Amino acid sequence: MSTEPAKPVRRITVPQIAARKGGEPIVSLTSYHAHTAAIVDRHADFILVGDSLGMVMHGMESTVGVSIELMIMHGRAVVRGTRRALVVVDMPFGSYEESPGVAFRNAARVMKETQCGAVKLEGGARMAETIRFLTERGIPVMAHIGLTPQSSHVMGGFKTQGREEDSWPAHEADARAVAEAGAFALVLEGMVEPLAARITRQVPIPTIGIGASAECDGQILVLEDMLGLNPKPPKFVKVYGQLGEMIGQAVEDYAKEVKARSFPGEGQVYR
Ligand code: KIV
């Protein structure tokens, strides 16, 4: 048994993230389970347990089918696997839109049961009252505007936002509304660069871009996308590692060796 005392958990805090507005860019990735989260934890300022896990981990067609229980299960794993980064857990579709009271009950449950440091929810001005209600009651909220996947059925798919300049004022009003309501950071997803730049200049909280350009105060990507595990990643993803190919090769080698009876070999057998 190890006599080493466990290292204290000293996480990056919500105010520390908020204070990075206009400063050193904020690094973030998604993570859904303990092993990958432990690796991401060494480099990320915050880790998002995104509801994209419905598509990435569970093969769903959209994030709409994700339940609060699923978010809690993966949120717990990520918190357990990490010690340094702030962990933010997504509120799934249907768990917060109905009223500020319902949102509080569900967000408090997510925070209690996962021990995460903040929640994220989608929506601009229409969610401002809820964001205010949560933050005034001790729940830090990261907002998310632009392409909001939970509304993909209303939007008619996953469409880049702000292609027409006359749509910009509505997005800018959304950004200002969530910042005024108390959100500590704002995800801008799938939006043209000039709009992301205008919003970043207009709000006093850090903007976190995903498909929204380097004009934002920080960046986030879905881990599996940047690791090459998604055969059709969106245009805005840069693939930093070819894990899909590596896993394919490793599985092929294993299958060959099992068939040739060369695995298990000397080193893998108890004599
Ligand atoms: O669910 C998710 O992974 C997200 C990111 C795309 C920001 O919300």
Side-chain angles (χ1 to χ4, degrees), residues 41-61:
D41 194 41
R42 294 181 212 143
H43 304 283
D45 297 305
F46 76 87
I47 297 177
L48 174 70
V49 185
D51 63 351
S52 51
L53 63 81
M55 298 159 89
V56 178
M57 301 286 293
H58 298 274
M60 296 178 184
E61 280 196 358

Side-chain angles (χ1 to χ4, degrees), residues 30 32 48-53 63 90 120 122 144 149 187 189 210 220 222:
T30 61
Y32 315 127
L48 174 70
V49 185
D51 63 351
S52 51
L53 63 81
T63 56
D90 250 343
K120 175 167 83 58
E122 295 182 8
H144 180 161
V187 171
E189 180 167 356
I210 173 161
I220 186 165
V222 170

Side-chain angles (χ1 to χ4, degrees), residues 2-221:
S2 165
T3 51
E4 292 256 321
K7 277 201 197 142
V9 176
R10 234 183 238 126
R11 289 188 189 277
I12 294 173
T13 63
V14 162
Q16 283 172 331
I17 296 288
R20 297 268 290 275
K21 175 72 188 174
E24 188 190 2
I26 297 166
V27 178
S28 175
L29 283 164
T30 61
S31 232
Y32 315 127
H33 53 72
H35 275 147
T36 53
I39 299 169
V40 173
D41 194 41
R42 294 181 212 143
H43 304 283
D45 297 305
F46 76 87
I47 297 177
L48 174 70
V49 185
D51 63 351
S52 51
L53 63 81
M55 298 159 89
V56 178
M57 301 286 293
H58 298 274
M60 296 178 184
E61 280 196 358
S62 78
T63 56
V64 171
V66 175
S67 67
I68 196 160
E69 286 75 21
L70 210 51
M71 294 310 303
I72 289 172
M73 187 177 82
H74 288 279
R76 270 189 188 151
V78 169
V79 170
R80 281 195 210 110
T82 55
R83 324 188 64 81
R84 190 186 145 273
L86 173 72
V87 177
V88 181
V89 176
D90 250 343
M91 296 299 294
F93 177 67
S95 69
Y96 62 92
E97 302 88 335
E98 191 179 331
S99 69
V102 168
F104 180 81
R105 216 166 15 257
N106 285 323
R109 180 176 169 208
V110 167
M111 291 198 69
K112 274 175 197 271
E113 294 187 25
T114 66
Q115 299 287 302
C116 69
V119 297
K120 175 167 83 58
L121 52 82
E122 295 182 8
R126 70 186 165 86
M127 292 314 303
E129 188 193 347
T130 296
I131 293 171
R132 190 180 306 283
F133 194 87
L134 298 187
T135 51
E136 282 175 352
R137 287 159 181 78
I139 298 182
V141 178
M142 179 175 285
H144 180 161
I145 64 166
L147 195 171
T148 45
Q150 292 177 9
S151 316
S152 62
H153 290 298
V154 175
M155 289 175 159
F158 297 86
K159 291 188 179 150
T160 307
Q161 302 295 298
R163 287 206 189 277
E164 274 85 43
E165 213 172 312
D166 59 9
S167 71
W168 292 4
H171 291 292
E172 288 168 25
D174 277 340
R176 287 194 303 271
V178 297
E180 276 160 22
F184 71 94
L186 171 60
V187 171
L188 303 180
E189 180 167 356
M191 134 178 334
V192 296
E193 181 173 51
L195 175 58
R198 284 170 67 100
I199 290 176
T200 300
R201 281 196 298 274
Q202 284 174 32
V203 294
I205 55 175
T207 57
I208 312 294
I210 173 161
S213 89
E215 295 286 339
C216 300
D217 297 300
Q219 299 294 325
I220 186 165
L221 282 176

